[in-house]
Amino acid sequence: MAVAVRHFKLTVEYEGTKFAGFQWQKDQRTVQGELEKTIAKVMQEPIRILGAGRTDAGVHATGQVIKFQTCNGIPVDRIPYALNAEMPSDIRIRRAEKTSAEFHPRYDAKSRRYAYLIDNKRFPSVLLRRVATHVPQRLDADRMQLAADYLVGTHNFASFEAAGSDRTGSSVRDLTLFRVRRDGSRIRMGVVANAFLYKMVRNMVGTLIQVGMGRVPSEHVGEIIESCNRKMAGPTAPPQGLCLVKVSY
């Protein structure tokens, strides 16, 4: 009797500090590598996963989505418990759902939401050092929001794509939300788009930090977009402030 193959969608949270990124790399500790190793151990069969986003080294996630298939008959509601019992302490499975063979967590995604956190005071917080970027100079969040407004819409975001991208298609993306707000000594940013270019969020944040410092006028962001020139945009913001919050389908 043939054993039925079952397909599962997992929502995954991880702290990216000690990972060389999400995607598998030889001789490197990666999120994909740890997930495949642990799921294989629990399911007692070789496992390969598909992920919604390839986060960089040091970038975190509370809503990464992966898919795997298995012949193991474990009930879906037991999967998070079984996997979390074996997972390293910097990865947790938040939810498990049945899905179809056709589902692809990356190509079927309608949008991704990222958050970026800045610790904006003179001396950095010890407790935030792994999950926030420290900027000692006070930032003008209102000016940053004015600049962020230029980024909302359908644009060619080539100016915010880092070198080393393996992109083969268009660099046009539809960015539907970019919010910047001050929360005491913290600057919180939230950005949503149908998809992002390589290091696009961190390059946009790096540009907005320059605006917040008063080094670049808010309206200059529109010119940066039109230029399609990476050299026109600001530096790449550090990875630790960035978190993949949600992937929507």
Side-chain angles (χ1 to χ4, degrees):
M1 181 178 178
V3 178
V5 176
R6 306 160 73 211
H7 301 266
F8 293 103
K9 170 188 171 186
L10 304 183
T11 302
V12 184
E13 176 178 305
Y14 51 86
E15 182 196 324
T17 307
K18 296 182 179 180
F19 291 106
F22 177 84
Q23 191 172 21
W24 184 90
Q25 300 175 51
K26 185 179 180 181
D27 299 325
Q28 296 288 331
R29 184 174 187 257
T30 65
V31 179
Q32 180 178 1
E34 292 293 336
L35 285 168
E36 290 181 345
K37 179 173 65 177
T38 304
I39 298 172
K41 179 180 178 181
V42 173
M43 300 300 161
Q44 299 182 327
E45 61 182 298
I47 295 291
R48 288 293 177 265
I49 67 170
L50 298 172
R54 296 177 291 178
T55 53
D56 297 324
V59 175
H60 318 294
T62 57
Q64 174 72 276
V65 175
I66 69 165
K67 176 194 174 182
F68 74 96
Q69 65 181 46
T70 180
C71 294
N72 192 296
I74 183 173
V76 63
D77 62 328
R78 297 303 305 167
I79 289 177
Y81 297 96
L83 294 182
N84 285 333
E86 301 292 339
M87 282 290 171
S89 61
D90 44 7
I91 302 179
R92 283 294 174 268
I93 307 303
R94 291 303 178 198
R95 186 178 182 185
E97 306 167 69
K98 294 179 181 178
T99 190
S100 67
E102 294 75 26
F103 171 72
H104 196 294
R106 180 180 179 187
Y107 300 128
D108 289 346
K110 301 298 183 184
S111 68
R112 286 96 168 158
R113 177 186 290 268
Y114 280 89
Y116 199 94
L117 180 62
I118 297 175
D119 181 18
N120 189 211
K121 56 181 181 292
R122 184 175 181 182
F123 300 111
S125 166
V126 172
L127 298 181
L128 293 178
R129 70 190 188 280
R130 291 184 172 183
V131 296
T133 293
H134 177 242
V135 178
Q137 180 177 336
R138 185 172 176 83
L139 300 174
D140 187 330
D142 292 335
R143 291 187 62 190
M144 294 168 73
Q145 181 63 71
L146 289 174
D149 290 342
Y150 285 93
L151 296 165
V152 176
T154 302
H155 306 292
N156 185 333
F157 283 96
S159 296
F160 299 98
E161 181 176 43
S165 169
D166 60 0
R167 175 180 58 82
T168 56
S170 171
S171 55
V172 174
R173 297 292 184 268
D174 182 21
L175 197 151
T176 56
L177 176 76
F178 204 139
R179 288 182 180 165
V180 182
R181 67 180 179 91
R182 175 169 289 281
D183 178 13
S185 62
R186 303 173 187 180
I187 300 287
R188 299 184 184 274
M189 302 188 203
V191 56
V192 179
N194 61 334
F196 292 92
L197 303 174
Y198 182 48
K199 296 187 179 179
M200 175 176 156
V201 178
R202 290 167 58 192
N203 290 334
M204 291 190 297
V205 170
T207 302
L208 294 188
I209 289 174
Q210 296 295 300
V211 172
M213 289 178 171
R215 297 177 180 176
V216 177
S218 300
E219 58 270 20
H220 185 56
V221 172
E223 299 173 18
I224 294 173
I225 296 171
E226 291 297 323
S227 74
C228 293
N229 183 351
R230 175 67 188 96
K231 294 180 180 179
M232 290 282 288
T236 304
Q240 68 269 21
L242 185 61
C243 181
L244 173 57
V245 175
K246 184 178 182 180
V247 182
S248 298
Y249 296 92

